[in-house]
Each structure stands twice: as structure tokens, then as C-alpha cells.
Amino acid sequence: MKTLQETYDVVVTGGGMAGFCAAIAAARNGAKTCLIQDRPVLGGNASSEVRVTIHGAACHHTHARETGIIGEAMQAERRSNHLFPIENGWTNSVHDMALYDIAVKEPNLTLHLNTSVRDVQLEDGSWGLENLAQWPVADDRKGYLHRPACHDGLSIKAIRAEISNAETTLLIAGKTFIDCTGDALTGNLAGCEWRWGSEAHKETGEVHAVAEGSTDVMGNSIHIRCIDTGRPAPFKAPDWAVKHEDASYFYEQGRKPNEPEGGFWWIEIGVPYNTIYDNEEIRHELTRHALGGWDWMKNKDPKMMDKCRNYALEFIGQVPGKRESRRIMGKHLIFENELQDRVDFPDECAYGGWFIDLHTPGGLLADSSEPASKVGYDDKVKEVALKYIGPYGIPLRAMISNNVPNLLMAGRNISTTHAALGTVRVMATCGLMGQGIGTLAALAIAENTSPEKMIEENVDRVQQQLLRDGCYLPHRHNTDPSDLALKASANASSEHTLRGMGAWEEPEDKNLREHIWRRAKGRTFTTDNCPCEWLHLDGAKLERLGVHLVSTAKETTEVTLRFRKVDSIWAYGREEGELIWEKTIAVPAGNDECVWTAVGCTPAEAGCHRLEVEGPESVAVRWSARQEYGLAGGHLIGSGRFHWDRLPGHVSCQLEPAQKIYNASQVLSGVTRPREQTNLWLSDPGAPLPQWASLEWAEETTFQRVELTFPSQLVLETHWENPFYVAPHIPLRYRLQVKRGEEWKTLCQEGENDRSRRTHILPEPVTTKQLRVVVEETHGAASAGLTEIRVYADPEG
């Protein structure tokens, strides 16, 4: 056996999406960082070994796609992968390599793959495995398991880890440790307080808390993938596989097999097994059920047999992906109701928006898989509608251990209740948490302070760094005093204006999965569901409004149109915002065209408004597949609130005059996605490229670093993107220029760009009054676009 000793600033245990993003963030912010992962690949549940699709807020909220490091990784995967993404089961090794490529390029990061944490040494010299025999054990007095803090304030000194098949032990010392193991392995060995199970409603008051506390947690899953062989492919299940004969087990209990390729998230087992200690038994039981489920679809299911005829099993996962086990108690315990209320946490560092997704304990062994799935995710059902939540902020304090000062955490083992975990546990959200906590760890070390004191005394620096590094925070915007762009004014060669969306127009982004837009084009939505459109007005007088209405009535009917000024495109409350205009209009019998009406209303201020169309079931709104950045269509759901329609599209409507909502000043808003306004510049699509956006200062300004953010695909999750996808508004070719006298001088030129975020460090300082970005060619969009431009004097940032 060989023993090696290493020392780092930040040590991250667990290389799933949370740990990956935490390690990259810490390294990029100057900390000497080590990432320990017990598998040969990065990604955890998102890796090719487990194959869970990365989900997040964009599944339920328009323009809520995660950016920052997790967004960079997902863009890199789509640019390079030949596979069409589906639901769970599709992930291949190209996905693994996208993460690995990002990690190995970081000079401050050391990777230890195939390396398992075996023990934790505390600052008093004691080791966790020895201490476990003396420390308090978990009790279930409140129903769930609770292990109290085992000491009062001992820090971690080092970790002992072993490299598989290498007969090598590592003793890794560090200043700050981040537990991203999911099972809170590091925190458990360090003596942290933790919980396991479900809190009772009487304790938490949460909407989705259980009636009585219990040790029940969500289960583990394996995934399968099937491929079309082009000819009949027989399958005979082994004798030890589960035998299924009852269709109701699948179709009435929330385990509906939609497509033969994969996506069977419901291959899940937890209770009565322990999701940590019984993991191997669970793996075998899951394999029995996976093969038995495929046998049912392939050979017995009357609805699936034809579909599955030419399909063969290509992958059968043998590494169970976990959803829930220990949760380390932190400086703040997140409750579901805080997320429902979208609390503005002062230490906000990430956001989420997945629904309250609490699978039935037991999974395949229970009466149903997940309550919303059992009713087909029908948002007219109140119990389903109440699960929609966010976008909400997540505080840093929930990621700092309450009794081990130098232990931080990210991922599903952070300080939440069971109900709150139902929404924060998905991997895109975990990745954002990882970047938040990794950034905090590095900046606290740079400031020679503790993470807790950094939050108390200088949390704004952490938040501003996250924004600068491409993250989005729901309640924050760029106020960086070093950003010289904020002292400039913006201009452009031309500007796109919003005229409206026709019912039969084609989408501009043809590289998204075709069927998602084909299903939206010309679709009808009855006005008794009050279809709506979140759009932006420029503050000038709106003279006329046209809405494409379809009437099946035999006589003239009436619908009511309303405009409300709302705070953002995620304003879902029925009466939320200020009603600025309302009018009832007549719809002729048999109508199927745009119905126009005078508005004559001047909004009190520019920004986001919600157009509502309410009437009888006999009148419907035509949907449009046209893509207009920053807008979204929706409708009322069973909770009595509005919500974005997950089949993307827009209310087919026309505005006169056209709204000037994509002007150049948007690039200085401090927000890099649509929210209270569009927050981006788009050029006139009718004007040929090249087009430009520029900054102008009142005085000569010297700088050496320019950071650009171009519009990326934020509306849909990554599995709606085709192989080799690049968002259409990302420029393929562009130039950065400054004005010298009457001429523009090119500082740098990019000819093969496929990234939405670019940083240009100039060889020497430049002094000028004007700087511009000239877009010469895009990846398919008719308009040039720019979301943000930052300018710094310091080339190192």
C-alpha cells in the first residue's frame, strides 16, 4: 500500500453536478481545489453510469434555464453529442467527457476519480469512524430520524480516501470542505447534525408535509435504454425477473410507459429498504423490476407491443441513482412555505423552480409512484397545480453546517425539510447551489475569513461574483462598481420591435425538437381557461390590440380582454399586479381570425404586462409557434393561479404601434434574462447583418477586459435540443471595435464562436469613448443579439 499526503484550500467530496460545479467555481475563483469522486466519471446521477436527465426550473417556468457553470456544461454537451436526448436512460459517454473536459482544463483543480472517502479527521486529531461508537445515535422521537450535533464546533482537518485498484491511500488536508456526496458521508463522519425522513405537518406547517412524521424517504432508481434495431427484436426475460400481468399497475398507478426508448423514472424502490445500507439489495430488486417491466411492454402490453416490436435493450443500469437520505442541518433550515412565498433571502446564491416532486415511498412496491403522475400531471387538478412553485431563491446559510465551522454542502444533502427537498433536489438546481457554495468558499479564503462571517459581512461580493460568472439570482442585479459599462450609455445600429405573433408563423429556432413547435402552431386554447400572454410594453400609448379568436358558437359571443402591469414573466397570481385596461369585445359566430379593438391606453411604466383573455368555452385563442424572446403564453390552472404553458408558444396577438422592447439600453440592465423587461438587445430582423451595439462614455475611458453575454436558449430544458445544438442568436462571427477619431479599429475578431459567454483580455490597455460589438453572422437567427456587456480596467478582473 502507498500513502500520499496532499493539502488544498478547498476539498470537495462527491463529483455529481453539485460537486462538479462547486469544485470548478472554487478553482476559478482562485482556490487550490481538490475534487474526490468515487466513480470513474463525473456527473453522479447525470453520468452515463446512472443516466438521469438533468432537470431544473425550465421544466415549469419560461426563460428559467440554468446558466453559470451548469449551463456551460449543458451547452458543451449539446454542441458535441450526436444523440437525441430523451427522458432518463439516454445519457452517454460524450456527456461524461463534456464534464471531464471542463474539469481537466482548470489549473487550480486536482481530480481524484475512483476515489472513496473512508474517514474524516477533526482538528482535535480524532477520526470519525472511531468517534461514531461514542457519538449520539439517531432517534425517531418525531417520527423521522434525527442525529444531534456530536460536538460543538470542531473543524475538519483532513480526509482519508482510497483510490480503487491502485492500493493507494490519500490523506488530504484542507481549509474548507464541501460535502456533495448526496448521502452526507463526509458530514456524518465529521459529527454533523442530520435528519432522515419526513417531517409532520404539525411541526412545519408545510403544504406538502405528511400528516405524521416518519423515516420514509424517496427511493433509488436504475434506468434502461432501448434502441430501434430496424427489424423485430425478440426478448425473453430471465426466470428471476418480476412477472407483470396487470395493466392497471402501469396505467392507473402512475407508471405509464410512453415511449419505448426510455424515460422510465418510476423504476424506483426505497421503503422498506434503507437507501444507503441496502443499496445492493435495491439494485438487484430494481434489475428484476426493470427486466420485468420491459417484458410487459415488449410482450404483453396491448398499447406498447407494436411500438416496441423492433426495439432491443441497449443499456441496463447497475448503479442506482439516489433521491434522498441524510440531510445535514445548517445555519438555516429551508421550509417549503418559504419557497412557495419566494422569500428574498439576504444571502441568496441560487434558484430553483422544479415542482414539489415527492415520490411515493416504496416506489414500485407502493400503490402508486408519484401522485401527480397518477393523474397524468393534469394541471387542472388542484393537488397537481399546488405542486408548481418558484422561481425561488436559495440561501447560502442552508449550505453551511451548524456545528462544523469549515464544512459546507451542496446538493440533496443540504439543510431542508423533506417537503422542500422535493423541489431543490434536481440536478440543475444542485449545480447552481454548488457554484454558489464553491464561490463562497474561495472568496472567504481569499479574504482570510470564515464562510459564515463572509455571509454576515460581505455577502454582496459573493452574489456579484456569481452574477458576473453567468449565474442568475431572482432578487439581485449587477451593481459591480468596477464595471465601467454601467457608467456608459448604449446605442445600436437597429432595434427589433414587437408587432405580435401570427397563428401560422414558423418558429425561428429550427434546431429544437420539431414536434414541440409543430404541436404549438395554430393550437387552440378555450377562453374559459383564461389563456394569457406575458409580454413587455415600452410605455408609449397602445392604440390597438388584435387577438386571434376562434368561435364555435352559432351566434355572436363576448370575451373580456385585460392588461395587468406585473413584476415579471413569473407573476402567476390571479389578481397580481395593477389592472390598467379591461374591455369586453364581441366575437362573431364562426370567427377564425384576428379580432381588433381600440385600446387607447398609456401604461404607467414600461415593462412586463400580462394580457388575459377570458370568455366562454365556445371561444378559443389561437396559439402561435413564433418565438419572441422574453414573452410567454399560459393559462389558469387548478390552484386558481396562472402558469406558463409547458407546450411553448404564445397567444396569437398583434400590437399597434409596435413595441420598442429590445433597445440597446437593455444590455445595461444588470440582468441577463427576461424578467421585469426583456433585458436584451435584438437588431431589426429585416435589416441585414452585420449589426452592432455600442457603449459610449462621456469621458475617455481606459480598459483591458471585456465580458460579453449573448442570448442563449433559456425557454426549454436541454432535452428539447437536437444533437450538435447551438442557440440561434449566439454569433458565429463577431468583432470587438473601438472608435479612434472617425474610424472604428478592430481589437479582436471571432470567426468560429459557439459560446454564449465570452471574455476578451486585450494585450494592452485601450482608451476610448466608444466601444462596440459587431455581429457579422449568427447560428441561424435573423437578428443580432446581446444580453450584457461588461468592461473592466483590470485584465485579471
Side-chain angles (χ1 to χ4, degrees):
M1 291 287 290
K2 182 169 64 173
T3 300
L4 301 175
Q5 296 188 14
E6 299 174 355
T7 301
Y8 298 93
D9 294 323
V10 176
V11 179
V12 181
T13 55
M17 297 314 300
F20 168 79
C21 292
I24 297 294
R28 288 181 178 177
N29 280 284
K32 184 182 177 185
T33 304
C34 173
L35 175 57
I36 301 171
Q37 164 71 332
D38 63 354
R39 305 300 306 173
V41 293
L42 297 169
N45 283 352
S47 72
S48 63
E49 292 190 313
V50 185
R51 302 197 177 192
V52 179
T53 297
I54 294 177
H55 280 299
C59 184
H60 301 285
H61 307 279
T62 184
H63 293 89
R65 175 80 170 264
E66 291 76 12
T67 49
I69 293 168
I70 186 75
E72 175 187 342
M74 290 191 288
Q75 284 187 21
E77 181 276 326
R78 280 293 79 201
R79 284 197 305 268
S80 58
N81 207 334
H82 64 281
L83 276 189
F84 283 91
I86 57 171
E87 256 300 342
N88 303 323
W90 71 274
T91 315
N92 61 6
S93 294
V94 177
H95 188 287
D96 299 338
M97 283 296 107
L99 303 182
Y100 190 71
D101 177 61
I102 293 171
V104 298
K105 287 177 178 177
E106 287 302 323
N108 276 343
L109 178 60
T110 298
L111 275 180
H112 283 303
L113 300 179
N114 293 306
T115 302
S116 299
V117 173
R118 298 301 186 196
D119 210 346
V120 171
Q121 186 181 36
L122 298 176
E123 62 180 333
D124 64 357
S126 66
W127 288 89
L129 284 176
E130 297 173 355
N131 290 335
L132 285 175
Q134 308 164 31
W135 283 342
V137 296
D139 66 70
D140 61 357
R141 282 176 292 181
K142 293 186 177 181
Y144 55 86
L145 287 176
H146 173 241
R147 206 272 295 269
C150 299
H151 54 77
D152 186 19
L154 289 175
S155 290
I156 298 175
K157 181 180 179 181
I159 281 176
R160 179 170 65 82
E162 294 181 1
I163 304 176
S164 301
N165 301 314
E167 299 183 4
T168 299
T169 296
L170 298 173
L171 295 176
I172 301 176
K175 297 176 182 177
T176 299
F177 294 80
I178 306 178
D179 187 340
C180 300
T181 60
D183 287 333
L185 172 62
T186 306
N188 183 48
L189 291 170
C192 286
E193 177 186 4
W194 53 257
R195 292 183 182 183
W196 176 308
S198 307
E199 293 88 351
H201 182 271
K202 61 187 176 184
E203 179 183 350
T204 68
E206 295 169 300
V207 175
H208 290 94
V210 294
E212 298 294 332
S214 75
T215 58
D216 291 351
V217 296
M218 291 176 280
N220 303 352
S221 286
I222 64 170
H223 295 295
I224 63 175
R225 180 172 184 257
C226 306
I227 58 171
D228 188 346
T229 65
R231 60 182 181 177
F235 174 75
K236 185 178 187 316
D239 293 341
W240 47 267
V242 172
K243 304 297 188 292
H244 286 289
E245 305 294 340
D246 183 5
S248 67
Y249 180 82
F250 296 96
Y251 289 97
E252 296 177 19
Q253 297 180 23
R255 305 180 184 100
K256 184 179 178 182
N258 292 314
E259 299 295 337
E261 290 93 343
F264 314 123
W265 56 265
W266 39 261
I267 304 175
E268 172 187 0
I269 291 177
V271 174
Y273 300 97
N274 182 294
T275 55
I276 294 179
Y277 301 124
D278 299 331
N279 192 46
E280 266 301 290
E281 293 177 69
I282 292 174
R283 179 200 58 76
H284 176 65
E285 289 302 308
L286 286 170
T287 305
R288 294 180 63 235
H289 279 273
L291 294 174
W294 178 243
D295 179 46
W296 161 260
M297 288 183 269
K298 180 82 174 169
N299 300 320
K300 303 173 185 178
D301 185 351
K303 296 182 179 180
M304 292 295 293
M305 287 173 62
D306 271 349
K307 281 187 175 182
C308 296
R309 187 179 308 280
N310 291 351
Y311 279 83
L313 277 171
E314 187 262 349
F315 172 81
I316 306 167
Q318 290 296 284
V319 180
K322 298 181 181 179
R323 290 178 177 86
E324 185 178 12
S325 53
R326 302 185 189 100
R327 291 172 275 118
I328 299 171
M329 294 297 98
K331 299 295 181 180
H332 180 89
L333 177 64
I334 300 175
F335 291 88
E336 177 201 344
N337 291 355
E338 293 179 301
L339 307 183
Q340 293 277 11
D341 293 340
R342 301 189 199 178
V343 170
D344 180 0
F345 297 107
D347 54 335
E348 178 179 272
C349 73
Y351 73 94
W354 185 251
F355 73 124
I356 302 292
D357 187 10
L358 296 169
H359 292 206
T360 307
L364 290 166
L365 307 182
D367 291 337
S368 66
S369 59
E370 194 274 332
S373 175
K374 190 175 179 180
V375 296
Y377 300 102
D378 184 355
D379 61 22
K380 294 179 183 177
V381 177
K382 184 176 181 180
E383 289 74 18
V384 174
L386 287 173
K387 290 177 175 287
Y388 291 151
I389 185 172
Y392 53 78
I394 300 173
L396 284 163
R397 287 165 295 142
M399 293 178 262
I400 300 179
S401 164
N402 65 5
N403 72 298
V404 180
N406 68 337
L407 180 65
L408 314 179
M409 55 271 191
R412 63 181 175 86
N413 56 359
I414 71 164
S415 184
T416 75
T417 63
H418 168 75
L421 183 69
T423 173
V424 302
R425 66 181 176 83
V426 290
M427 287 183 284
T429 308
C430 290
L432 295 179
M433 290 190 281
Q435 184 164 0
I437 207 66
T439 300
L440 171 66
L443 295 183
I445 288 170
E447 293 285 325
N448 195 28
T449 189
S450 69
E452 186 176 8
K453 282 192 174 179
M454 188 76 184
I455 292 173
E456 293 172 356
E457 299 172 2
N458 201 5
V459 71
D460 183 64
R461 184 183 172 199
V462 180
Q463 292 167 331
Q464 289 299 314
Q465 187 63 50
L466 288 168
L467 293 174
R468 185 174 177 184
D469 290 341
C471 292
Y472 170 73
L473 300 178
H475 300 95
R476 302 294 181 272
H477 65 279
N478 175 23
T479 58
D480 185 352
S482 299
D483 182 5
L484 300 173
L486 296 180
K487 301 175 183 178
S489 59
N491 297 290
S493 54
S494 68
E495 295 172 349
H496 177 39
T497 56
L498 175 66
R499 291 176 171 82
M501 295 81 69
W504 308 109
E505 291 186 81
E506 293 287 335
E508 185 173 42
D509 190 350
K510 295 295 180 64
N511 206 18
L512 290 171
R513 303 290 290 273
E514 181 184 354
H515 68 277
I516 191 70
W517 294 110
R518 189 172 65 245
R519 285 155 56 195
K521 184 179 176 182
R523 175 193 183 200
T524 58
F525 217 113
T526 57
T527 59
D528 58 325
N529 289 307
C530 200
C532 69
E533 181 76 18
W534 287 272
L535 46 75
H536 305 273
L537 301 179
D538 61 16
K541 187 176 182 180
L542 184 62
E543 299 288 356
R544 291 209 309 157
L545 167 69
V547 180
H548 193 135
L549 298 171
V550 180
S551 175
T552 58
K554 295 180 179 179
E555 56 187 23
T556 298
T557 50
E558 293 183 336
V559 300
T560 300
L561 307 178
R562 302 184 194 93
F563 267 119
R564 293 183 188 274
K565 175 69 181 75
V566 292
D567 290 339
S568 77
I569 55 174
W570 305 307
Y572 298 138
R574 183 71 163 99
E575 304 295 328
E576 186 173 350
E578 178 189 358
L579 180 64
I580 66 166
W581 177 79
E582 183 176 42
K583 188 174 184 179
T584 298
I585 63 171
V587 183
N591 188 77
D592 189 1
E593 61 184 11
C594 205
V595 178
W596 286 90
T597 185
V599 178
C601 172
T602 302
E605 57 181 309
C608 190
H609 290 70
R610 188 173 67 214
L611 168 65
E612 302 166 12
V613 187
E614 188 166 18
E617 186 179 3
S618 60
V619 179
V621 166
R622 280 276 183 211
W623 225 236
S624 173
R626 178 184 172 89
Q627 300 153 300
E628 285 286 2
Y629 212 98
L631 281 64
H635 61 277
L636 280 178
I637 59 175
S639 60
R641 293 165 60 82
F642 286 99
H643 204 77
W644 174 55
D645 186 50
R646 292 175 62 191
L647 180 63
H650 303 281
V651 170
S652 178
C653 61
Q654 305 293 326
L655 304 170
E656 289 185 1
Q659 300 296 295
K660 301 174 182 178
I661 60 173
Y662 300 106
N663 51 68
S665 64
Q666 301 280 347
V667 303
L668 301 176
S669 69
V671 181
T672 55
R673 69 179 63 212
R675 189 171 68 185
E676 71 288 337
Q677 55 187 1
T678 59
N679 294 317
L680 86 157
W681 162 72
L682 291 176
S683 69
D684 179 356
L689 298 176
Q691 296 287 317
W692 52 262
S694 69
L695 297 182
E696 184 170 357
W697 291 272
E699 300 177 352
E700 293 280 335
T701 299
T702 301
F703 57 87
Q704 200 172 351
R705 183 184 180 100
V706 179
E707 299 175 4
L708 304 172
T709 302
F710 299 105
S712 57
Q713 198 282 104
L714 299 175
V715 177
L716 298 168
E717 292 190 292
T718 185
H719 55 282
W720 292 112
E721 296 170 349
N722 280 334
F724 310 117
Y725 179 82
V726 180
H729 283 98
I730 291 176
L732 174 65
R733 296 186 298 115
Y734 70 92
R735 285 172 285 152
L736 203 59
Q737 297 182 322
V738 293
K739 196 166 189 181
R740 296 283 173 78
E742 296 301 316
E743 295 184 354
W744 288 94
K745 178 183 178 182
T746 298
L747 300 177
C748 56
Q749 186 165 349
E750 293 294 329
E752 295 293 333
N753 178 60
D754 56 11
R755 314 292 173 96
S756 62
R757 298 186 68 247
R758 296 299 305 266
T759 295
H760 296 281
I761 299 175
L762 306 177
E764 58 186 24
V766 173
T767 301
T768 187
K769 282 188 176 183
Q770 293 186 62
L771 166 71
R772 74 179 184 182
V773 181
V774 182
V775 175
E776 298 175 322
E777 185 179 356
T778 68
H779 282 272
S783 295
L786 184 64
T787 303
E788 184 179 62
I789 179 168
R790 289 175 178 241
V791 180
Y792 294 91
D794 185 352
E796 300 303 317

